Amino acid sequence: MVDFDNTAQSKKVQEIRNKEEEVFVERVSQKFGLPYIDLSGANIETDALAVLPEADARAGLVAPFKIVGKDLYIAVKSPNLNQTKSVLAELEKKYNLGVHMVSTRSLEKAWDRYGDMSHALSTQGGLLDISPEKLKELAENVKRNSDIAAEFNKVLEGDSIKKTTEFMEVIFGGAIGTKSSDIHIEAQDEQVRIRFRQDGVLQDVAEMDHESYKKLLSRIKLLSNMKLTQTKNAQDGRFTIDYDGKEIEVRVSVIPSAYGESFVMRILNPDGIKVGIENLGIEPKLFEILMQEIEKPNGMILTTGPTGSGKTTSLYSFMNKVYSPEVKILTIEDPIEYHLEGISQTQVNRQKGYTFLSGLRAALRQDPDIVMVGEIRDGETASIAVNASLTGHLVLSTLHTNSAAGVIPRLIDLGVSPQILAAALSVSIAQRLVRKVCEHCKEEVQPTEKEEATIRDILLEADRNNKNLHDYGLAIDQEIKLFKGRGCEACNGTGYKGRIGLYEAIITDDKIEELLNQKPSEQDVRKVAEKQGLLNMREDGVVKILNGITSLDEVKKVIDLNIKNITQDDSDEDSENNISSKLGKKQTIINTQEINPEAVFNTKSVEISLLIDYLRSLEDRQRIDPEHDISHQIQKVQTTILELLKHSQAEETFNESKDFAKTHKKFKGLADDLEEMHQHQLHNPGIDMSDKIRQIREEIEHHDVKTV
């Protein structure tokens, strides 16, 4: 018979002893000047434990319990023991140690966690520790997707007890060898598909069974410090591959799917950004100008383009070009994708209040020569960046616009003074990435009549703007020849190998500076910039097409080559000018900064009718081209409504029923909705806003207003 009274009493005695031990250790830790911690209720990180083998941890009476980058937190029973000192000395060679004193009970709790770890794979501070020799061998010998598939099938058909580790060797060795940027592993009904993103395009590589996939997913989750049991929510993590003397960061994203979980791994190989500014694809005249600008002690260079257009690579190339021991370069990034030697890099942490804005403020107190800001998102960041460029700093950053001509209107929208901008902004750059035709299987193809006409129109347009085509080996009357890749082993049958940039840039010269005083639109800037003699992206694309570097199909994916469609932008501006002419004034009603309310308001509410027409045109434009950024136009509509509400004749203009308080509240709500849309478009360019614009338009149309 069990004596429950004695059992309960023994348990109570043990609890008292444990508490006394913790109190004693806490008191002793103060004498050593070390922090105390009780690990009985703490989370012991497996990535931290994996830094030190269990046998060494027990022999040294230590236990790693948390790791953040190179910062390792380690528990010790006593810092004076020789075996403990020896272990700490070895760890200090690789990590910044945070030593804590703990009780024997805490150590044993941490040591017990070794039993939960997979012994097939060890990690060192988030480092993937698979056979370096095998990884390098695969990366050097695997150059085609068919090679990866063959190696993968060998593992599938084998009976090795380390099959999961071998899968990882093939996956990462193959990704490095083929210069893939992403690995997609997607669970489907019967099989699991593995795809690599190569030169920006996903390619099928191999398939695996669900049982092997689950083991691989668990290994990746463990390595990325994710929760193994969480399968219904998205998770993010990262780890590092130690490859050939360098660290390759891997960012992991896992989301639930119909047949399991889908995970994507981004390979951040530092070799990927060592392209060299000379090899980015910048045309000679622009290259010469950029070399002059990045060597200046101050100024601002902004790059624009969608996600994945190579902006980060361009900025890193600029910094690498000008770096020397005499120059201090500081970056604020979100996140740090590549670690650059000799450059001080900091990462945004919004939870702790470290944003691009606060980071930039702090950076300027560090006496840098060059500051790189990952992205300018708001007016305060823009203002500080502009002021920094005026006070002896070269500022590099990115901005969300579709073209180089959109940089100036966007900065003005963010509240930057046009007069200050003229002195601060040196160059505005827009870029896209296209695949290069494979040199091993390139062949000439005859263009269709439509293709030839498209290219000829662009050459004629460049000639009309006095751009010297002969500098690029071209002429307006030359024979049009196109090239494509036939598909071979070297390019995995795609016909393309590698990528190159298409660029356009606008220099802030005297003409642009003069234009700034007029608060120009994007189209105004574009018209003036065309006379600078630099190629726009259409023309740069045609140069690379005719020189056999890329194909017409590739350029058409990222740039509208139809000049008639592109000049449709003019019609948007003209539509506002037509509104102005109807109102008998030069300024447009939508540009409320220059509005003269007394001249345009009347009881027939022409302005309301015009506002509805303007919203309808925006709606139609978004349906045709949802990628087009209309945040500037949305803000104009919002400001116009607010100006209308403030006008002395607002009550008569908006409502016949005399219930103006209700009407005012209604339209104030619409203005708030427009502000929310404006912010959403700023942070999510490319989002289709047509439905939201339609809702705003219908709210105005169906309200009781006097429309003509």
Side-chain angles (χ1 to χ4, degrees):
M1 179 181 290
V2 178
D3 188 342
F4 290 102
D5 290 338
N6 287 338
T7 302
Q9 188 174 4
S10 298
K11 186 177 180 180
K12 189 173 182 180
V13 169
Q14 187 60 47
E15 288 177 355
I16 293 172
R17 287 176 178 172
N18 290 341
K19 188 173 182 180
E20 288 176 346
E21 183 187 10
E22 297 299 334
V23 172
F24 174 75
V25 173
E26 185 174 9
R27 190 181 305 122
V28 172
S29 70
Q30 295 172 0
K31 294 182 179 179
F32 283 108
L34 294 175
Y36 155 82
I37 188 171
D38 181 0
L39 295 179
S40 60
N43 177 39
I44 311 296
E45 295 181 4
T46 53
D47 271 356
L49 284 174
V51 167
L52 191 65
E54 182 179 358
D56 293 347
R58 289 182 179 273
L61 295 176
V62 302
F65 61 90
K66 182 179 179 181
I67 187 166
V68 181
K70 293 293 184 182
D71 296 330
L72 178 66
Y73 298 87
I74 191 162
V76 302
K77 186 174 182 180
S78 172
N80 276 349
L81 299 174
N82 290 332
Q83 59 266 44
T84 301
K85 290 179 179 178
S86 177
V87 172
L88 295 180
E90 284 299 313
L91 290 173
E92 279 181 332
K93 294 177 181 178
K94 295 183 179 180
Y95 303 98
N96 305 316
L97 298 186
V99 180
H100 292 64
M101 282 194 68
V102 298
S103 64
T104 302
R105 186 170 61 99
S106 285
L107 280 179
E108 289 174 347
K109 193 251 183 180
W111 293 336
D112 286 344
R113 286 284 282 135
Y114 276 106
D116 299 333
M117 294 177 58
S118 168
H119 295 286
L121 180 74
S122 65
T123 60
Q124 295 183 354
L127 273 95
L128 178 65
D129 187 16
I130 56 182
S131 170
E133 295 78 15
K134 183 64 175 177
L135 193 63
K136 187 174 181 181
E137 178 189 341
L138 284 165
E140 291 177 348
N141 296 329
V142 171
K143 300 300 180 185
R144 297 179 291 273
N145 291 343
S146 57
D147 297 335
I148 301 173
E151 292 288 340
F152 212 84
N153 289 332
K154 283 183 188 178
V155 179
L156 279 172
E157 294 165 4
D159 56 359
S160 171
I161 61 172
K162 297 183 178 180
K163 185 175 284 191
T164 304
T165 300
E166 292 174 357
F167 276 136
M168 296 183 75
E169 288 173 345
V170 173
I171 288 172
F172 291 111
I176 295 169
T178 56
K179 298 181 180 178
S180 301
S181 61
D182 300 88
I183 300 166
H184 291 241
I185 302 181
E186 302 156 336
Q188 297 181 312
D189 188 6
E190 297 181 357
Q191 290 287 321
V192 177
R193 181 169 61 169
I194 299 175
R195 298 192 289 171
F196 287 3
R197 188 176 294 280
Q198 297 163 342
D199 296 329
V201 178
L202 281 172
Q203 305 287 346
D204 286 329
V205 172
E207 289 185 341
M208 67 191 304
D209 58 273
H210 276 269
E211 183 180 353
S212 300
Y213 150 80
K214 288 176 182 176
K215 293 178 180 177
L216 179 63
L217 177 59
S218 295
R219 183 72 58 81
I220 296 295
K221 280 188 170 183
L222 179 66
L223 189 64
S224 306
N225 202 26
M226 296 181 186
K227 295 179 180 178
L228 297 178
T229 56
Q230 184 170 306
T231 60
K232 302 300 182 184
N233 295 310
Q235 295 189 76
D236 294 304
R238 63 191 302 152
F239 60 89
T240 304
I241 300 174
D242 191 359
Y243 171 76
D244 197 23
K246 61 177 176 284
E247 293 184 354
I248 297 177
E249 296 284 339
V250 181
R251 253 194 276 154
V252 186
S253 172
V254 179
I255 62 171
S257 67
Y259 301 104
E261 290 178 274
S262 172
F263 61 107
V264 177
M265 294 179 281
R266 168 66 58 89
I267 310 294
L268 300 173
N269 191 338
D271 289 343
I273 60 164
K274 295 178 181 177
V275 180
I277 193 171
E278 298 84 359
N279 301 314
L280 293 176
I282 303 172
E283 57 98 355
K285 186 174 181 179
L286 175 58
F287 181 84
E288 183 180 344
I289 291 171
L290 289 178
M291 289 303 95
Q292 294 172 358
E293 294 298 333
I294 64 176
E295 290 176 0
K296 290 181 179 179
N298 60 281
M300 176 184 281
I301 299 175
L302 297 180
T303 64
T304 72
T307 302
S309 60
K311 300 188 297 295
T312 300
T313 300
S314 293
L315 291 180
Y316 280 1
S317 297
F318 295 162
M319 289 189 291
N320 279 329
K321 184 69 176 178
V322 296
Y323 172 73
S324 71
E326 293 81 23
V327 175
K328 177 162 183 176
I329 303 177
L330 199 149
T331 74
I332 305 108
E333 304 173 60
D334 183 22
I336 296 173
E337 294 189 352
Y338 304 96
H339 295 278
L340 304 175
E341 187 176 352
I343 293 176
S344 301
Q345 296 174 266
T346 66
Q347 181 167 312
V348 167
N349 188 333
R350 291 181 180 81
Q351 291 180 342
K352 296 184 178 179
Y354 188 73
T355 62
F356 283 121
L357 176 60
S358 60
L360 181 54
R361 283 174 173 158
L364 296 177
R365 294 193 290 269
Q366 293 285 312
D367 188 30
D369 298 292
I370 300 172
V371 180
M372 193 275 270
V373 184
E375 183 184 345
I376 293 177
R377 296 179 177 177
D378 55 72
E380 283 189 272
T381 307
S383 178
I384 294 174
V386 166
N387 288 329
S389 71
L390 295 172
T391 54
H393 305 88
L394 178 62
V395 178
L396 309 175
S397 189
T398 67
L399 196 67
H400 271 304
T401 64
N402 288 325
S403 65
V407 168
I408 288 173
R410 172 57 57 82
L411 288 174
I412 293 175
D413 280 348
L414 290 175
V416 178
S417 165
Q419 290 74 25
I420 295 176
L421 187 57
L425 182 63
S426 304
V427 188
S428 309
I429 306 170
Q431 64 183 88
R432 303 287 189 274
L433 284 178
V434 293
R435 292 183 293 174
K436 296 192 292 185
V437 176
C438 176
E439 291 294 334
H440 295 90
C441 61
K442 181 165 66 175
E443 59 184 15
E444 184 181 329
V445 293
Q446 283 298 118
T448 64
E449 288 186 10
K450 184 177 180 181
E451 290 172 338
E452 182 170 351
T454 297
I455 292 175
R456 191 80 68 188
D457 284 346
I458 293 172
L459 292 175
L460 287 168
E461 181 193 42
D463 185 66
R464 282 195 299 271
N465 287 312
N466 297 318
K467 297 178 183 179
N468 194 345
L469 296 174
H470 295 289
D471 290 346
Y472 310 99
L474 303 178
I476 57 173
D477 56 351
Q478 74 171 69
E479 182 183 358
I480 304 298
K481 294 181 180 180
L482 304 182
F483 299 86
K484 73 172 186 178
R486 187 174 56 256
C488 64
E489 286 193 350
C491 61
N492 287 310
T494 63
Y496 299 96
K497 187 71 173 177
R499 288 194 289 177
I500 196 167
L502 304 182
Y503 291 85
E504 68 179 19
I506 296 176
I507 314 301
T508 309
D509 58 11
D510 293 342
K511 295 290 185 183
I512 294 292
E513 191 170 336
E514 182 180 332
L515 185 67
L516 279 169
N517 296 322
Q518 305 170 23
K519 298 178 182 176
S521 67
E522 182 174 332
Q523 187 59 28
D524 293 334
V525 176
R526 184 183 294 124
K527 287 178 181 177
V528 173
E530 282 296 318
K531 305 303 179 183
Q532 291 183 340
L534 298 175
L535 299 181
N536 59 40
M537 272 194 291
R538 295 194 306 280
E539 294 156 355
D540 193 24
V542 166
V543 168
K544 291 180 170 72
I545 290 169
L546 297 179
N547 287 332
I549 297 172
T550 189
S551 69
L552 179 62
D553 289 339
E554 272 297 292
V555 175
K556 284 166 66 176
K557 287 179 183 177
V558 297
I559 302 171
D560 187 352
L561 293 179
N562 191 322
I563 293 178
K564 291 180 181 178
N565 288 347
I566 292 162
T567 54
Q568 184 65 36
D569 288 347
D570 291 336
S571 67
D572 290 343
E573 298 296 328
D574 290 342
S575 67
E576 292 187 4
N577 290 332
N578 289 337
I579 292 174
S580 302
S581 64
K582 290 178 183 179
L583 295 173
K585 67 185 193 73
K586 293 182 180 179
Q587 295 87 352
T588 168
I589 184 172
I590 303 301
N591 190 346
T592 55
Q593 290 180 332
E594 301 176 18
I595 195 170
N596 179 3
E598 296 297 332
V600 301
F601 277 70
N602 57 70
T603 55
K604 292 184 178 180
S605 292
V606 174
E607 55 281 355
I608 297 294
S609 180
L610 294 174
L611 196 59
I612 291 170
D613 290 341
Y614 187 75
L615 284 165
R616 186 178 284 109
S617 69
L618 283 183
E619 178 186 341
D620 292 340
R621 170 140 194 183
Q622 275 285 280
R623 294 199 187 283
I624 296 170
D625 182 16
E627 292 290 326
H628 184 73
D629 183 3
I630 60 166
S631 57
H632 181 62
Q633 289 90 334
I634 290 173
Q635 190 177 47
K636 284 182 177 180
V637 174
Q638 178 212 10
T639 311
T640 298
I641 289 176
L642 293 174
E643 288 293 324
L644 292 172
L645 288 171
K646 290 191 298 184
H647 190 261
S648 59
Q649 296 183 22
E651 182 170 347
E652 186 176 6
T653 299
F654 275 86
N655 202 300
E656 290 182 319
S657 64
K658 307 302 180 184
D659 189 9
F660 180 62
K662 183 177 178 181
T663 303
H664 188 282
K665 183 178 180 181
K666 179 77 172 179
F667 279 81
K668 180 63 171 63
L670 293 180
D672 292 340
D673 291 342
L674 286 161
E675 173 58 21
E676 186 176 335
M677 289 167 59
H678 174 248
Q679 292 299 325
H680 188 66
Q681 177 87 159
L682 279 177
H683 294 100
N684 301 278
I687 297 295
D688 186 358
M689 303 291 284
S690 57
D691 287 338
K692 291 185 179 296
I693 295 169
R694 176 183 55 78
Q695 292 172 11
I696 296 290
R697 174 178 59 79
E698 289 177 352
E699 288 277 359
I700 297 175
E701 279 183 320
H702 297 155
H703 202 270
D704 185 18
V705 294
K706 294 182 181 180
T707 54
V708 293

